Amino acid sequence: DWGINLYSDIRAHFAVTDGSRQQDLLTGFQNFSVMTYHVPATRVMFGLRSSVRVNLFGPQGRGDDMELYLAPELAYQITPKVAFTLLYEMGASHRFGDRAFFFTNDGTDLEPGVSWDITENLNVNPYLNILTGSKVSLRTTSVGMFLNWAIL
């Protein structure tokens, strides 16, 4: 066991809402991946989340035709059931019709949190979402939470 885990999927997004049809969005395809490395004989885990989404538009298209996401993460296992988590998110997008390789910075944020395995099948992960753009402040900080429940 090398302590490495890779999760990856491919997603299809269909234009079924009024908003997507008004933008002349035909469909979108996305790859989302998470790679983690648990450092042997330590309580440390390093991870990397990434996503690439390509949207296909008709001739009257409006919106982002490519969206990029990258998020390195770190977790430190405080106890067997509780871990400190830290995630840094970065995003960029390309607008339909813009010149090639011209991307807009969609912002960055830092997410410190705590992951708690309440039971073997139930995990809660509250975190702060701190926008790290031009000015960090309480006004641009929010609270978020993941709730994971393994049914099977």
Side-chain angles (χ1 to χ4, degrees), residues 3-21:
I4 297 174
N5 185 42
L6 175 63
Y7 167 86
S8 188
D9 66 38
I10 296 175
R11 304 170 184 186
H13 301 270
F14 301 103
V16 296
T17 66
D18 288 337
S20 60
R21 284 191 288 260

Side-chain angles (χ1 to χ4, degrees), residues 33-84:
S33 299
V34 179
M35 183 169 43
T36 58
Y37 172 62
H38 292 268
V39 180
T42 73
R43 298 177 179 197
V44 176
M45 183 277 299
F46 294 105
L48 184 64
R49 302 177 190 194
S50 63
S51 173
V52 175
R53 178 174 169 166
V54 175
N55 294 315
L56 304 174
F57 292 94
Q60 305 299 315
R62 294 187 333 258
D64 296 334
D65 58 6
M66 181 176 279
E67 301 168 18
L68 305 174
Y69 170 81
L70 189 66
E73 64 181 310
L74 168 72
Y76 181 79
Q77 202 70 41
I78 300 166
T79 73
K81 294 185 174 277
V82 177
F84 168 76

Side-chain angles (χ1 to χ4, degrees), residues 25-136:
L25 176 67
L26 303 175
T27 190
F29 297 98
Q30 180 180 17
N31 170 255
F32 186 82
S33 299
V34 179
M35 183 169 43
T36 58
Y37 172 62
H38 292 268
V39 180
T42 73
R43 298 177 179 197
V44 176
M45 183 277 299
F46 294 105
L48 184 64
R49 302 177 190 194
S50 63
S51 173
V52 175
R53 178 174 169 166
V54 175
N55 294 315
L56 304 174
F57 292 94
Q60 305 299 315
R62 294 187 333 258
D64 296 334
D65 58 6
M66 181 176 279
E67 301 168 18
L68 305 174
Y69 170 81
L70 189 66
E73 64 181 310
L74 168 72
Y76 181 79
Q77 202 70 41
I78 300 166
T79 73
K81 294 185 174 277
V82 177
F84 168 76
T85 60
L86 187 63
L87 179 73
Y88 183 72
E89 296 183 300
M90 301 168 272
S93 58
H94 180 271
R95 298 285 293 173
F96 180 70
D98 280 355
R99 68 181 189 274
F101 306 108
F102 179 80
F103 285 86
T104 300
N105 180 349
D106 292 335
T108 59
D109 63 75
L110 186 65
E111 295 183 358
V114 175
S115 178
W116 176 29
D117 295 328
I118 298 170
T119 69
E120 187 176 309
N121 296 332
L122 185 63
N123 171 274
V124 64
N125 180 201
Y127 59 90
L128 289 176
N129 183 284
I130 304 166
L131 297 183
T132 55
S134 59
K135 185 177 180 182
V136 174

